[in-house]
């Protein structure tokens, strides 16, 4: 499994928004400058996060983006599952995978399922607040 730039940048943006303790909307331009991400690419990521109801956006003067809930209520799994096509280690475990005709005879399926569970449980155990706090202490 390889986490894409989109997933990594989404995590950076979410941490950035967590650290801006204004309670207001943060302009895309400011986020892009702090994170050194092109505004165009960042806009596509933010649209995805808004569509997934992880962020809310407001257009116009005073507009920008902000979290929809407390940082403690977001997990890395929430964010990566939204931004990545799949976190599954093999294609047959993807949510949209066709049933494998060899599943009943597959000697490695349980191993892949175990890895999938480990990854999901690991990411589900880390909150946005955890990442922001770690970043604050560095």
């Amino acid at each position: 499994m390889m986490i894409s730039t989109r997933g990594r940048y989404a995590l950076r943006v979410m941490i950035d928004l967590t650290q801006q303790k204004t309670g207001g909307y943060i302009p895309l331009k400011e986020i892009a400058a702090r994170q050194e991400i092109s505004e165009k690419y960042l806009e596509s990521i933010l649209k995805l996060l808004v569509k997934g109801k992880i962020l809310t956006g407001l257009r116009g003067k005073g507009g920008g983006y902000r979290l929809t809930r407390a940082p403690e209520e977001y997990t890395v799994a929430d964010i990566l599952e939204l931004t990545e096509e799949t976190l599954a280690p093999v294609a047959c475990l993807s949510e949209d995978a066709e049933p494998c005709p060899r599943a009943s005879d597959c000697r490695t399926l349980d191993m892949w399922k175990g890895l999938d569970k480990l990854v999901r449980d690991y990411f589900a155990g880390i909150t946005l607040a955890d990442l922001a706090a770690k970043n604050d202490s560095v």
Side-chain angles (χ1 to χ4, degrees):
M1 167 187 58
M2 175 123 16
I3 303 298
S4 71
T5 316
R6 181 174 55 189
R8 294 190 322 268
Y9 285 4
L11 287 169
R12 284 174 44 189
V13 166
M14 296 294 288
I15 294 165
D16 185 284
L17 290 172
T18 297
Q19 293 174 322
Q20 309 308 311
K21 297 177 172 45
T22 66
Y25 288 91
I26 309 297
L28 176 136
K29 190 174 234 168
E30 290 179 15
I31 302 166
R34 276 192 301 274
Q35 294 303 315
E36 299 176 341
I37 302 171
S38 85
E39 288 182 35
K40 186 174 182 178
Y41 190 48
L42 182 57
E43 187 173 20
S44 70
I45 294 168
L46 291 170
K47 282 182 182 179
L48 186 61
L49 297 173
V50 168
K51 185 178 178 185
K53 299 185 180 5
I54 285 183
L55 294 179
T56 185
L58 181 67
R59 292 179 180 245
K61 188 175 180 187
Y65 298 87
R66 70 177 182 193
L67 304 177
T68 57
R69 51 191 198 254
E72 299 79 21
E73 297 177 36
Y74 293 94
T75 67
V76 171
D78 295 334
I79 298 161
L80 291 179
E81 286 173 355
L82 183 62
T83 58
E84 300 298 309
E85 289 183 23
T86 184
L87 293 178
V90 290
C92 64
L93 294 179
S94 294
E95 288 182 26
D96 59 351
E98 295 290 324
C100 178
R102 297 184 41 85
S104 62
D105 295 325
C106 183
R107 304 235 179 220
T108 59
L109 183 58
D110 287 339
M111 175 188 68
W112 296 126
K113 284 181 178 179
L115 177 60
D116 187 49
K117 183 176 177 0
L118 283 171
V119 168
R120 290 176 190 279
D121 289 350
Y122 178 74
F123 287 146
I126 304 169
T127 69
L128 192 53
D130 295 332
L131 294 176
K134 184 174 189 173
N135 216 3
D136 286 341
S137 65
V138 174

